[in-house]
Amino acid sequence: VMNTQRDVIYTERRKILEGADLRSNILDMVHEEIEGIVLNNTSGDEWDLEALIAEANAIVHLSEEFTPDAIGRMDQQEILDALLQYADDAYADKEDEIGADLMRQLERLVMLRSIDSLWVEHLTATEEMRQGIGLQAYGQQDPLVSYKREARDMWEQLLGNIRNRIVRSIYHVEIAAPQRPAPPP
């Protein structure tokens, strides 16, 4: 189980380090997150537009046109289309502002940092789970089956957390100009 997960993570890291084009991957992640937010907050009879705006705002700072009244006049697909278009435009604006080369570096850094930190947490949690899985035998459950099920669930959660962190970071990260050391007195 861990070897398969390790192979997937290392393959992704290798692609990032070798300079693969990450723009479309990141925008796909942004779209998935926004779709989830819209579906979670507009399903059923009671729409939670305040939560929808707050969650979308955590990804990309929304303009003042996204008010509960304005969104309340739209259907679910119109809301989704408006938010996706806004996110795409904001991404293009950020790229225009800092330049394509810096944006590619920023994408790589955000992805690597997110994957690396969450992978370490995942390894720790998986090891703790592995150490405690033997107790499943006392509950008349096969420890191997329990381990595989738990590991799969943790893996799915890891992938979702990576996507979530990348999406919530990419619009908010700024490039700072290197500061020159003060001249000696």
Side-chain angles (χ1 to χ4, degrees):
V1 171
M2 287 308 298
N3 284 339
T4 303
Q5 293 178 2
R6 189 176 295 111
D7 288 344
V8 170
I9 292 293
Y10 288 174
T11 299
E12 286 302 310
R13 287 189 88 256
R14 197 172 307 111
K15 279 194 259 182
I16 294 167
L17 292 170
E18 290 173 354
D21 183 14
L22 305 173
R23 185 180 198 278
S24 61
N25 291 19
I26 290 177
L27 286 174
D28 287 345
M29 290 180 199
V30 169
H31 287 205
E32 286 177 38
E33 286 289 311
I34 290 175
E35 287 171 16
I37 289 169
V38 171
L39 288 175
N40 288 340
N41 290 293
T42 61
S43 296
D45 296 333
E46 294 293 318
W47 285 15
D48 191 350
L49 300 179
E50 295 285 342
L52 186 148
I53 291 169
E55 290 178 41
N57 211 25
I59 294 173
V60 57
H61 183 68
L62 298 175
S63 68
E64 294 175 9
E65 70 188 70
F66 289 98
T67 64
D69 288 339
I71 290 178
R73 290 189 287 272
M74 299 180 197
D75 66 25
Q76 189 181 50
Q77 188 61 48
E78 290 172 329
I79 294 170
L80 179 60
D81 292 342
L83 288 172
L84 293 177
Q85 186 62 52
Y86 187 84
D88 289 347
D89 291 346
Y91 201 88
D93 290 347
K94 185 171 187 79
E95 188 170 331
D96 289 344
E97 179 185 326
I98 66 172
D101 290 340
L102 278 177
M103 191 65 180
R104 301 297 81 82
Q105 288 178 9
L106 185 66
E107 291 164 350
R108 277 194 293 283
L109 291 172
V110 166
M111 287 189 78
L112 281 174
R113 184 169 171 219
S114 299
I115 290 170
D116 289 350
S117 64
L118 290 169
W119 175 243
V120 169
E121 289 175 19
H122 175 75
L123 289 175
T124 303
T126 303
E127 179 60 24
E128 289 172 358
M129 184 262 300
R130 187 186 66 77
Q131 290 176 359
I133 205 75
L135 299 175
Q136 297 288 328
Y138 293 117
Q140 304 299 318
Q141 295 179 1
D142 182 358
L144 182 59
V145 172
S146 295
Y147 176 79
K148 286 181 178 180
R149 185 181 61 250
E150 295 268 338
R152 186 191 70 239
D153 292 345
M154 291 172 72
W155 174 250
E156 294 296 324
Q157 188 175 10
L158 169 68
L159 296 179
N161 289 343
I162 288 172
R163 182 182 69 224
N164 188 297
R165 185 170 293 175
I166 290 168
V167 167
R168 281 165 176 68
S169 299
I170 196 70
Y171 289 98
H172 302 288
V173 174
E174 298 290 329
I175 303 277
Q179 295 186 3
R180 294 184 175 167

